[in-house]
Each structure stands twice: as structure tokens, then as C-alpha cells.
Amino acid sequence: MAKRSVSILTRLLTNPSSPFTAPTRSITYMPRPGDGAPRTVTLIPGDGIGPLVTGAVEQVFEAMHAPVHFERYEVRGHMRKVPEEVMESVKRNKVCLKGGLATPVGGGVSSLNMQLRKELDIFASLVNCINVPGLVTRHENVDIVVIRENTEGEYAGLEHEVVPGVVESLKVITKYCSERIARYAFEHAYLNNRKKVTAVHKANIMKLADGLFLESCREVAKAYPGITYNEIIVDNCCMQLVAKPEQFDVMVTPNLYGNLIANTAAGIAGGTGVMPGGNVGAEHAIFEQGASAGNVGNDKIVEQKKANPMALLLSSAMMLKHLQFPTFADRLEIAVKQVIQEGKWRTKDLGGDCTTQEVVDAVIKALD
Amino acid sequence: MSRRSLTLLKNLARNSNASSSCIQTRSVTYMPRPGDGSPRAVTLIPGDGIGPLVTNAVEQVMEAMHAPIYFEKYNVHGEMSRVPGEVMESIRKNKVCLKGGLKTPVGGGVSSLNVQLRKELDLFASLVNCFNLPGLPTRHENVDIVVIRENTEGEYAGLEHEVVPGVVESLKVVLSLKISFVIESFDFDVTRSLENSTRFVPGVVESVEVITKFCSERIAKYAFEYAYLNNRKKVTAVHKANIMKLADGLFLESCREVAKKYPGITYNEIIVDNCCMQLVAKPEQFDVMVTPNLYGNLVANTAAGIAGGTGVMPGGNVGADHAVFEQGASAGNVGKDKIVRENKANPVALLLSSAMMLRHLQFPSFADRLETAVKRVISEGNCRTKDLGGQSTTQQVVDAVIANLE
């Protein structure tokens, strides 16, 4: 009898109930006739690790037989502007997947990432910073969505030299843009069953600019009585993020703070190599690695081909949902999360030593 | 001591199995478009019998979830001669409809309003997903079948006429035309010629079953597309082509042609009588089934029955432009007077169908919450209506679902 109990004990201990025992049947979905027709997506590999990770996405989509085909365009960060044909393609396809574009420091060349967002009026940037099961971090219970205004604020690119040796940089905040980003944030919270929206600001110092932002947020909050709204000053916010991140849910921010908060939140939840994200406007959407730090990578990673493709794979799962192929999106997400959880195939930023290709092969094998 | 440890370990093992089969919530990173949250109008037809009871259940749950949907309610009853014009207008405007069952009188020449709706809106595909629900014990395990049934022609074309007293023939008219506009006009010709037929004699009734290449092809295309989009591995065509060689033969031909375009999906065919037997013997062999109208009705209800009953299976009808959601399989969707009086109708099927509707309207998060809550209530097992072996009323089940919404 004791012998039997030993075997039961062994069985129990060797089969931990994992939260990702892949659900064999997840959703009942009735597509419309014609929903399976393939969609075209503009693909911009970009600079640095860009081609490596977008290549990863292409391989996985091929393996899944996803109804997506890519129109590839070479764009480099040092070009003066995004080529016309690329803009045409994005406007036509409405959806784009891109790697990072390296923006040279100083020198007056404006960022092509910014240019894309402004021309297509992609006003909201969304990053979902969430603890991935199996990936050990110093912070637990992190599940923050940072929604950042993408077109104005400090990144308006309006700078001029007043007098030799004195430069002014203009930060523009408009009611129109603040209102629409607030509306998008609350709508996102409503549609995704989120309970709280936090506005991040520095209105104690920039009373008029950030004050206008806050006013717009407060007005929109009144239309959503079911969602808690609060405000936090950005310096306190950074400290709270690293001390008690579980208090944050959805955060809505202007451009600069959003950039910093998104990267901090991504960092505490596991690193910018795994957080999915995207940029959306009324008509177009661009998907890329969630938080911007490290999306081009350094030469060493490019040489050794050890870039982390997870972030872009999860972003492309978001893209599949956006294109209304929910089953493919689910399969991809489950496969990626399984690979992360198993822990054997991890790139350097997650503590392992694999190459990008090894991770891609593991994901393809984990697809069901 | 080892006796105690054995019992303790068995308990542990059971609990760990139970917790691993407990309903997992899906966490979805989803980037909506701006404006995706604006409310959508949906036509609501409560219907007859238990219809008003179960559609009201859906209304309550949608209210509790604050779903971005509002219903335009219209009263339609099965004994009306046709669906009122304003209801059709409403559905055409909203493109989506949720309905309870409409009772079709037996005999008497009143055509079914359910069929009329489907024909006018050209909802050519009916989909029922029959699957085992965790926590609901049935005699059959591992059932996960999607029955895709052609909705607009076949035996339900409604073309009947009396030829000779006491003799009823079932004619099969086979149209093998490749050009769709010719088929459209030919359908009308068939109807007219039969009505004005000089062969009309009292006492003999013919029922004409029409199978066209156009409709067979599009239902086959829909079935394979469904399998592709939902990662299904096999499509089975159900037929009786050994007897009705031309009619069902045409159906099979269309399925085979479409199958060639989907090399990754296994295709096979099964005769309908064997199919019914296999369904109750080894249901795990079936995945997606594509059928003409009549067989689809029977196969869907059989599959629903083995998987837990028509009270829990979700389903809908879809066409190129519109979609109507209702209880999946048609048996019992109007219910008996006793159930209506005691208010013990099972709202689960319509709740799961409305979750499909939420997905159709692109509110995946609400759909997931609803499905999770419903499945949790079923798996907990203390709030079940009579058809699932319990004693609860509809309202009790609704309250349990609302309590389980997160």
C-alpha cells in the first residue's frame, strides 16, 4: 500500500498543473463567408536586429499557414523620409509590421518612426507589460497597459535656435489630441474589462500644458462611471512603478512620459524583448516591438544573431487579432508562452544563450 | 498510516485534476481601433414558448456586463403568415439578429417563419458546435463536432404539391448549371411550373427537393474555410448518394472540388445512416461535418444530444451579409407548456450563442467573460435546469451566471 502511495506521489510531483495546458477548444467562432481570404500586410524589416526578428515572424506565419502575406520594403533610419511607395503600401493595406528604425542622435535628421506615425495619424501607442508565466522577475502581478499619445507633446520636433547658443524646444499639447487619447484609453479599458485608468502628468510644474491634458482626461472619465480614474505625478509614478507595480492597470500619458513609463514597466515585467505592443489610429495600425528601448539592438547582438524575437511574435499575434484571425492569434500566443515557460530556449536578455533561430524553431514546434 | 496517506494522496490527485480542468480565463492582448467601443444595435425576436424566457435571460446578462449592445425588440409569432416588414428592415439595417424559437404549426400549409427568415436574408450556413462541457457528465466523451448545414434549399425548399390522392412522392430535381444567374431564374421556373402543372391531381402530393451546384459549392466553401480558420483537421460530408445518386452526388462533387483547395485538411464522406450510427458509437472521429439541409437538421440534433443536450449547444446562421443567432440545434427551442409555466427553460444555449454573437460583433473580451461565467456555472453543478439533471429555474441560472461574471 505504501508502494502505491509512492507511485501516486511521483505522478503528482512530476505533473505540475501548468496554467498553459493548451486549451484544446477555446472559442466558438462563426466566421463570415470570405473571412479566410488572405490579407496583405506591409513589412518593414528596419535596422539592426529588425531583419532578424521580422524574419522570425515570417517563418512562423509560414509554418502556421496564416492567411497573411507580406509586402516587404527596405527602409533605413538614415534616410531623409520614408519612401513614397512604402507610405502608399501602408495606406493601402492599413496594417504594417515593422522592426526598429535607428534614429541618429542629433544632426537634424528627424526620426522616421515619428514621421510614419504623424503622416498616418497613428495617435495611440499601446504597450502591454505583463509578467509572462515561467519568466522570473523581481516584480510580480504586473499587468499594465501603457497608452501613450503618439503625435504631439515633446516629440513635436519643433526646435529652433533663438540666438547662437540658445535653443528652444516646443512642447505642444492640444485639447483635440488629449481628448482623443483619453477617449481611446477609456474605451480600451471598457472593452478589455480593465478596472482603472491612471493619468500620468507633471501639471504641478507645467500647469497649462499638462493641465490641459488632465482636464481632457477628467471629462472623458465622467462618461465611464464604471472605471476608476486617478492621476499621478510622473516622478512619483516612476517610483511607484518599481515599488508597487500591482496598483497600476491602464495608464494614459502624453508622449514623453509615455516613452519612459512604457520602457520602465516593460523592464520590470521581463524586459523589452518580450512585451507586445502596437500603434493605432483611426484607419491604420502599425505593430512593432512594444517598448522602444533596444528595438534596434547593438552590433554584437546582430553579429551573434541572438536577438529576442518574442516581442515581435507577440505583437504579430496582436496583429492577427486585429485582422480578425483569432484562432491563429491564439495558437501563436500559446506556442510562444509555452516556449518561454519551458525555459529551455531563451535569448541572452532572458538569461539564456540561444540564437534567434533556435527560439523560432522551438516556437514552430510548439504550434499545434 | 500508509492507509491514511493513500487516501490523502488520492484526494490530492483528484483535486489537482479538478483544478487543472477548471475554467481558465483567456488573457488576450488586444488593440482595439478607436471607436470600436461604440454600441451596436441588434434585432431581438423573443419568439414563442420558452423564447421570451431565454431571450430575457440574455438581456439581463448583457445589462449586467454593460455590453455595448442594445436590442431592438420585435414580437413575431409562429402562426403569422410572414415575418413583418419592419422586422426584416430592422435586421437588414443591423445585420445581426438574436432570436428565440418560432413555432411552426404542423401541416396546414403555413410555411415556417424560421425558414422564411433564412431564405430572405440568404443565411445559407447554419452552424452548431456540439462539444462536451466540463463538469457535465454524458455517456459520450471527447465530443467536439461542428455541424455546418446548408440552410436554404434541399428538402426544405417548401415546394410541395398534391399529384394524386393518397400518394406522396419525393422528387429530386437536379440542376447542374454552372452559371448562377441562370440558377436563380430556374428556381422560379420550377416553382411556377409546379404550381401550374397539368399533372396536378388531388390526393397525391409531391415534395420537391432541390440541390443546386451553386448552393452546394458555397456551403462546402464555407465549411472548409471554417475548418481552416479554426484549426480543425477534418471535414466530413454527409450524404445518401448511393440512393439519391444525382442530387446528393452533385453535393458530393462540389465538396470534393473545394477539398482540393485545402490540402492541409482531411476530407472524407459518410453515408447518413452509417453516420448516425457512428455518431452514437464513436463520436470522437468527427470534427467538422458539412451536410445538406435535412441530414444537417438530424445530425445536428443527434450530435447535440450526445454532447449534453440541445439546451446547451451554441449555434447560429450566417450569410454573406447577415447573421442570426439562436439556440444551436432546433429541437426543443420552443419547449413545452410545462416548461414555460414553471419557468424552467435552459438559457445556456442562447447565452453561449450570444457569446458567439459578441465575437461576431468584435467584442472578444465580453464574449470571453460571458463564456467563462457560463462554463463555470455548469462545471460547479449546483445551478442546473431539468434537462441537465437539476431543478433550478431559468432565473436562478441567470443569477448564477451574473454572479460569476468578473
Side-chain angles (χ1 to χ4, degrees):
Chain A
M1 212 169 14
K3 225 178 278 176
R4 275 179 63 199
S5 55
V6 168
S7 65
I8 297 182
L9 197 52
T10 335
R11 181 163 53 92
L12 268 178
L13 290 174
T14 50
N15 291 335
S17 56
S18 101
F20 280 105
T21 43
T24 45
R25 187 217 150 267
S26 46
I27 55 171
T28 304
Y29 171 56
M30 186 165 82
R32 294 169 177 79
D35 268 2
R39 292 286 304 267
T40 319
V41 169
T42 308
L43 179 67
I44 299 177
D47 299 316
I49 60 168
L52 207 55
V53 294
T54 50
V57 172
E58 283 179 294
Q59 286 184 47
V60 173
F61 273 36
E62 189 73 52
M64 274 206 299
H65 304 295
V68 172
H69 67 265
F70 290 109
E71 275 181 7
R72 203 197 276 223
Y73 290 96
E74 295 296 334
V75 179
R76 300 251 176 273
H78 53 76
M79 294 178 176
R80 310 212 102 258
K81 46 186 280 104
V82 180
E84 246 335 289
E85 47 167 6
V86 181
M87 296 306 289
E88 283 304 302
S89 167
V90 180
K91 283 185 180 134
R92 188 181 50 233
N93 297 331
K94 308 247 181 262
V95 176
C96 169
L97 184 70
K98 70 184 263 288
L101 294 169
T103 308
V105 175
V109 177
S110 64
S111 157
L112 291 186
N113 297 313
M114 280 301 300
Q115 190 195 353
L116 259 178
R117 290 173 196 145
K118 282 197 176 160
E119 271 210 47
L120 301 168
D121 201 22
I122 295 183
F123 64 86
S125 158
L126 190 152
V127 187
N128 187 4
C129 307
I130 179 169
N131 275 127
V132 187
L135 192 59
V136 175
T137 54
R138 293 182 185 87
H139 301 82
E140 318 246 297
N141 283 326
V142 180
D143 186 3
I144 302 176
V145 176
V146 182
I147 296 184
R148 156 195 178 191
E149 210 287 331
N150 236 352
T151 56
E152 55 169 21
E154 302 80 352
Y155 290 24
L158 301 166
E159 295 185 309
H160 62 280
E161 198 169 8
V162 180
V163 164
V166 177
V167 174
E168 276 182 350
S169 176
L170 292 182
K171 162 179 166 164
V172 181
I173 298 271
T174 59
K175 186 166 178 62
Y176 175 66
C177 292
S178 305
E179 213 172 63
R180 72 179 179 176
I181 194 67
R183 242 185 271 133
Y184 183 78
F186 277 91
E187 191 178 61
H188 183 276
Y190 169 57
L191 287 174
N192 290 281
N193 198 22
R194 297 271 180 170
K195 311 282 192 270
K196 185 156 78 164
V197 173
T198 308
V200 179
H201 66 95
K202 191 78 178 159
N204 48 347
I205 306 297
M206 288 178 273
K207 294 186 195 326
L208 288 186
D210 286 354
L212 179 58
F213 178 76
L214 282 185
E215 236 177 74
S216 317
C217 291
R218 284 176 200 144
E219 269 182 46
V220 176
K222 291 197 202 117
Y224 291 87
I227 298 175
T228 319
Y229 166 73
N230 61 357
E231 305 168 350
I232 187 168
I233 300 184
V234 60
D235 45 9
N236 186 21
C237 175
C238 292
M239 190 273 282
Q240 295 290 340
L241 255 184
V242 299
K244 260 196 351 159
E246 57 271 12
Q247 59 177 302
F248 295 110
D249 193 353
V250 176
M251 305 175 78
V252 61
T253 83
N255 214 332
L256 175 67
Y257 312 148
N259 192 2
L260 310 184
I261 301 283
N263 282 284
T264 311
I268 59 175
T272 55
V274 290
M275 301 301 145
N279 308 274
V280 72
E283 287 155 19
H284 310 278
I286 296 187
F287 294 87
E288 50 180 342
Q289 176 180 312
S292 51
N295 64 357
V296 176
N298 54 36
D299 291 336
K300 186 165 167 205
I301 305 182
V302 180
E303 262 166 30
Q304 297 178 340
K305 298 200 184 331
K306 286 188 174 181
N308 195 347
M310 302 289 194
L312 204 65
L313 282 170
L314 289 174
S315 295
S316 59
M318 278 171 70
M319 179 180 79
L320 286 167
K321 272 187 204 91
H322 188 86
L323 294 168
Q324 276 134 53
F325 300 129
T327 312
F328 291 94
D330 285 346
R331 287 167 65 197
L332 179 49
E333 263 192 27
I334 291 175
V336 169
K337 289 183 180 167
Q338 209 164 298
V339 169
I340 295 183
Q341 182 176 41
E342 280 170 8
K344 286 195 301 207
W345 304 105
R346 291 189 183 172
T347 46
K348 195 132 179 269
D349 58 327
L350 299 181
D353 208 25
C354 299
T355 61
T356 309
Q357 189 56 48
E358 285 169 351
V359 175
V360 171
D361 293 335
V363 170
I364 292 181
K365 224 165 55 165
L367 284 172
D368 76 271
Chain B
M1 180 199 56
S2 48
R3 210 175 290 156
R4 271 184 59 205
S5 59
L6 194 55
T7 344
L8 282 170
L9 283 169
K10 276 194 183 150
N11 277 336
L12 256 180
R14 205 178 310 127
N15 285 340
S16 78
N17 283 338
S19 66
S20 65
S21 73
C22 88
I23 318 298
Q24 318 153 1
T25 48
R26 277 160 33 99
S27 79
V28 171
T29 306
Y30 171 56
M31 185 166 82
R33 294 169 177 79
D36 269 1
S38 27
R40 292 285 304 266
V42 170
T43 309
L44 178 67
I45 299 178
D48 298 317
I50 60 168
L53 207 55
V54 293
T55 49
N56 178 263
V58 171
E59 285 181 286
Q60 288 184 47
V61 175
M62 293 288 174
E63 187 74 52
M65 277 206 297
H66 304 294
I69 295 203
Y70 61 93
F71 291 110
E72 289 177 3
K73 207 192 282 214
Y74 289 97
N75 276 317
V76 179
H77 294 291
E79 70 263 7
M80 295 178 175
S81 60
R82 40 178 300 113
V83 180
E86 48 167 4
V87 182
M88 298 303 293
E89 277 310 308
S90 165
I91 302 182
R92 289 206 171 95
K93 175 176 61 107
N94 297 333
K95 309 250 182 262
V96 175
C97 168
L98 184 72
K99 68 185 266 285
L102 291 170
K103 195 183 189 119
T104 308
V106 176
V110 178
S111 65
S112 158
L113 291 188
N114 296 312
V115 179
Q116 190 196 350
L117 254 180
R118 289 172 197 145
K119 281 192 169 166
E120 274 210 45
L121 300 169
D122 201 22
L123 302 170
F124 65 87
S126 157
L127 191 151
V128 186
N129 189 2
C130 307
F131 57 97
N132 279 124
L133 279 145
L136 191 59
T138 54
R139 295 183 185 86
H140 300 81
E141 317 247 296
N142 283 327
V143 180
D144 187 4
I145 301 174
V146 176
V147 182
I148 296 185
R149 157 195 177 191
E150 210 287 332
N151 236 353
T152 57
E153 57 170 22
E155 301 82 350
Y156 288 27
L159 302 166
E160 292 186 308
H161 62 281
E162 199 170 7
V163 176
V164 168
V167 175
V168 176
E169 281 177 348
S170 180
L171 278 186
K172 292 260 194 166
V173 175
V174 173
L175 307 172
S176 181
L177 300 172
K178 313 263 185 209
I179 309 170
S180 55
F181 77 85
V182 178
I183 291 177
E184 292 287 298
S185 60
F186 196 84
D187 268 341
F188 285 121
D189 285 340
V190 166
T191 320
R192 255 183 257 123
S193 77
L194 285 172
E195 283 170 2
N196 304 326
S197 170
T198 51
R199 291 151 59 219
F200 184 85
V201 175
V204 175
V205 178
E206 280 180 346
S207 175
V208 180
E209 168 190 335
V210 181
I211 300 274
T212 60
K213 186 164 178 64
F214 175 66
C215 292
S216 304
E217 213 172 60
R218 67 179 180 176
I219 195 64
K221 258 193 228 137
Y222 183 79
F224 277 92
E225 190 179 59
Y226 179 91
Y228 169 58
L229 287 173
N230 287 282
N231 199 22
R232 297 268 178 174
K233 310 283 190 270
K234 187 156 73 164
V235 173
T236 307
V238 179
H239 66 96
K240 190 79 180 160
N242 48 345
I243 306 296
M244 289 179 276
K245 295 191 193 329
L246 290 187
D248 287 356
L250 178 58
F251 178 77
L252 283 185
E253 235 179 73
S254 315
C255 291
R256 285 177 199 145
E257 271 182 43
V258 176
K260 292 196 201 118
K261 302 205 188 87
Y262 290 87
I265 298 175
T266 319
Y267 167 72
N268 62 357
E269 302 167 352
I270 188 168
I271 300 183
V272 61
D273 46 9
N274 186 21
C275 174
C276 291
M277 192 274 281
Q278 295 289 340
L279 257 181
V280 299
K282 265 201 340 166
E284 56 270 14
Q285 59 178 302
F286 295 111
D287 194 354
V288 176
M289 306 174 79
V290 60
T291 82
N293 215 330
L294 175 65
Y295 312 147
N297 193 1
L298 309 183
V299 168
N301 280 286
T302 312
I306 59 174
T310 55
V312 290
M313 301 300 147
N317 307 274
V318 71
D321 303 315
H322 310 279
V324 173
F325 294 85
E326 51 182 340
Q327 175 178 311
S330 50
N333 63 357
V334 174
K336 307 190 296 242
D337 291 336
K338 187 164 169 208
I339 307 181
V340 180
R341 251 177 322 166
E342 296 176 357
N343 288 338
K344 284 188 174 183
N346 196 346
V348 174
L350 205 66
L351 283 170
L352 289 177
S353 295
S354 60
M356 279 172 68
M357 181 181 76
L358 285 167
R359 248 178 230 113
H360 189 86
L361 293 167
Q362 276 136 55
F363 299 129
S365 194
F366 291 93
D368 286 345
R369 286 167 64 196
L370 179 49
E371 261 196 12
T372 308
V374 170
K375 287 180 183 171
R376 216 175 265 163
V377 168
I378 294 184
S379 88
E380 277 170 12
N382 27 20
C383 217
R384 290 184 184 176
T385 47
K386 198 142 179 262
D387 58 325
L388 300 182
Q391 277 295 325
S392 313
T393 62
T394 309
Q395 190 56 48
Q396 286 171 337
V397 176
V398 171
D399 294 334
V401 168
I402 292 181
N404 268 294
L405 285 171
E406 62 194 33

